[in-house]
Amino acid sequence: MKNYFQKLVIFALTLSVYSCGEKTQTDNKPKVFSIELADSLEVDFLKEMRLLDYDPNSKKFLLATEEPREYLEVDQKGEILTHNQFNRDGIDVVGHAVSLGYFNGDVTVFDFQNGYMMFDDSTKVGEITLPYSYDVFIPNPKLGLFEHENKVYYPKPAQHSLMANHEDQNMFQAMYSLPIIESQDKATKDISDAIDLPESSPILNGQVHGFTVPIYTFDEDQLVLSLGIEPRLYVYQMQGGQFIFEKTIDVNIPDWIGYKPVPMETPEKFFEEIRKIRPANLNNIFVLEDYYLVTYHRGISEEGMQELEFSERYGLGALREDPYFVAVFDKDFNQLATNVPFPVPVHAPMVVNENGEIVVSKIAGLSETEDDGIVLYFLQLAED
């Protein structure tokens, strides 16, 4: 049973690697949104990398390879400031980089075994260790580290001891009941649970929903959370040093190709069914002036997958058929638009800069033109 479940985890990891506006009447005027190309930037580097983060203080972009192990820091002109690769042996070893991003201006990596490590100009300058061994089933595309008052917050990984003591059919139930976000006191290093799923969440209905990947944004005293696998947002308010659940927001995406939950006793059926489709996924949540932007891909149905050549079902062919879109919400979480398309083929959107531009990296293999380096696009949300 354990060998079988290991195969399920491997399959899930493999799976993870790879319009128009909706009109809402406000003062009798419909709102129609689009995303427009404002500018582009080329980085003189031949290996393909994807944009992962941006530090508004130093105005540096962080790009990395797939794992991510090799990375670049690039300025606003496309000049390479840092080119580094994490060590596999020797000092400051990063055995398996799970997530990569900026934290307080430092390049920060979440390692499969060693917690968080911070680097400045390729030199390790800090770390945040977790006082327990843990398992990571699906790499999180977002680092997720942020500070508030005297605490640091981050996505809580599943403790290895907890998961090891459960039979396979109970593992998902234990995983879903774990806190989503954990905090660590910067002075005492004490650990506290910060955010749990609300009891009303469909994820807690006693069925298998696959592996969740928490994506969230912290805006002033409000945290907006997504689990990626469902078209749904969970909103929490910071009150008295605690995050209090406020409400659930359903994201209306009519053509969402979602998974089907299965009974907890038969987790293998979940993976048998999900391998037939490319499941939809919420990828990010951005704050952009008076709006929240939710980026996602809608997925590919079983019929659509069968129409693709087998070699393209999990590669560029799938990305071509299943690009990223945006849903637009106002600050009161009224949905104003859905399926607003990106004008160019891009990797998962990860950055909004201080100018209110969505900055994305181009997927070279889906472009009709060949570039001499990595291309970044600067996109603007336009309201007609």
Side-chain angles (χ1 to χ4, degrees):
M1 187 67 170
K2 291 184 178 179
N3 290 335
Y4 172 74
F5 188 74
Q6 289 173 354
K7 293 179 181 178
L8 296 184
V9 172
I10 292 172
F11 171 75
L13 289 170
T14 303
L15 192 66
S16 72
V17 173
Y18 259 65
S19 167
C20 51
E22 176 180 289
K23 297 183 179 181
T24 298
Q25 293 289 340
T26 303
D27 297 330
N28 297 320
K29 294 181 180 180
K31 290 187 176 183
V32 180
F33 295 87
S34 61
I35 296 178
E36 299 179 351
L37 179 61
D39 202 356
S40 63
L41 177 70
E42 186 168 297
V43 180
D44 187 15
F45 193 79
L46 292 179
K47 183 181 295 186
E48 183 163 2
M49 291 190 174
R50 60 183 62 191
L51 179 63
L52 293 183
D53 211 345
Y54 173 72
D55 179 44
N57 294 322
S58 62
K59 299 188 182 336
K60 293 189 295 187
F61 295 101
L62 178 63
L63 303 97
T65 49
E66 184 70 32
E67 186 179 336
R69 175 161 295 277
E70 184 179 3
Y71 66 88
L72 301 177
E73 290 186 277
V74 175
D75 67 14
Q76 299 273 44
K77 297 180 180 180
E79 297 294 326
I80 298 174
L81 305 175
T82 305
H83 177 201
N84 189 36
Q85 186 166 324
F86 295 119
N87 295 330
R88 293 185 184 274
D89 49 38
I91 61 172
D92 302 333
V93 171
V94 176
H96 182 185
V98 178
S99 304
L100 185 66
Y102 280 118
F103 179 62
N104 291 338
D106 296 323
V107 175
T108 303
V109 59
F110 178 49
D111 181 65
F112 193 83
Q113 293 181 320
N114 299 319
Y116 295 89
M117 292 181 280
M118 295 78 172
F119 293 83
D120 180 21
D121 193 22
S122 306
T123 301
K124 183 180 173 183
V125 294
E127 62 183 356
I128 299 174
T129 59
L130 305 184
Y132 51 81
S133 58
Y134 52 87
D135 291 317
V136 177
F137 297 104
I138 299 291
N140 196 323
K142 266 186 108 169
L143 183 68
L145 270 177
F146 71 93
E147 286 184 327
H148 182 71
E149 297 180 346
N150 64 329
K151 293 182 178 180
V152 179
Y153 295 82
Y154 48 86
K156 181 180 176 64
Q159 293 187 29
H160 179 70
S161 59
L162 175 64
M163 310 321 290
N165 289 332
H166 285 74
E167 296 296 331
D168 295 342
Q169 63 265 26
N170 293 327
M171 176 182 169
F172 286 98
Q173 183 174 353
M175 185 167 56
Y176 300 151
S177 64
L178 289 173
I180 303 297
I181 298 175
E182 184 174 80
S183 69
Q184 185 172 140
D185 189 286
K186 291 189 289 185
T188 66
K189 309 302 179 184
D190 291 339
I191 299 292
S192 301
D193 298 335
I195 287 181
D196 297 278
L197 275 180
E199 294 181 0
S200 58
S201 171
I203 303 298
L204 301 178
N205 67 357
Q207 294 181 294
V208 174
H209 298 263
F211 295 99
T212 60
V213 180
I215 301 294
Y216 51 85
T217 187
F218 184 48
D219 178 28
E220 297 179 352
D221 287 334
Q222 184 169 259
L223 187 141
V224 185
L225 166 72
S226 163
L227 297 180
I229 61 175
E230 55 176 359
R232 191 168 288 112
L233 306 175
Y234 301 95
V235 182
Y236 299 78
Q237 290 288 339
M238 174 66 79
Q239 298 178 10
Q242 302 291 327
F243 281 107
I244 307 300
F245 172 72
E246 183 179 272
K247 57 186 174 182
T248 299
I249 305 296
D250 290 325
V251 185
N252 180 21
I253 307 172
D255 36 12
W256 176 273
I257 306 297
Y259 67 93
K260 295 181 180 179
V262 303
M264 197 68 71
E265 295 77 17
T266 56
E268 68 278 2
K269 289 186 178 180
F270 178 88
F271 294 98
E272 289 172 3
E273 292 301 315
I274 204 171
R275 74 172 69 229
K276 299 176 183 178
I277 66 173
R278 175 178 162 88
N281 187 267
L282 290 188
N283 135 266
N284 219 327
I285 306 164
F286 297 112
V287 180
L288 188 64
E289 297 180 344
D290 296 329
Y291 302 110
Y292 285 110
L293 303 186
V294 178
T295 58
Y296 58 90
H297 63 83
R298 300 180 297 189
I300 303 176
S301 67
E302 182 176 353
E303 294 76 15
M305 290 288 281
Q306 291 174 350
E307 292 174 0
L308 292 174
E309 294 292 335
F310 184 81
S311 61
E312 292 194 327
R313 292 180 183 178
Y314 303 102
L316 291 179
L319 292 174
R320 184 182 296 109
E321 297 297 322
D322 190 22
Y324 285 94
F325 293 87
V326 173
V328 183
F329 290 80
D330 64 20
K331 285 300 185 73
D332 293 322
F333 293 100
N334 297 304
Q335 187 167 345
L336 307 178
T338 188
N339 289 346
V340 181
F342 284 88
V344 286
V346 299
H347 291 293
M350 302 297 290
V351 168
V352 167
N353 65 14
E354 70 276 8
N355 299 322
E357 297 169 313
I358 307 169
V359 189
V360 292
S361 50
K362 175 182 178 180
I363 301 177
L366 296 184
S367 175
E368 297 180 356
T369 60
E370 186 173 344
D371 304 297
D372 295 327
I374 302 169
V375 175
L376 302 183
Y377 291 120
F378 295 76
L379 309 174
Q380 293 178 335
L381 180 70
E383 180 183 340
D384 301 329

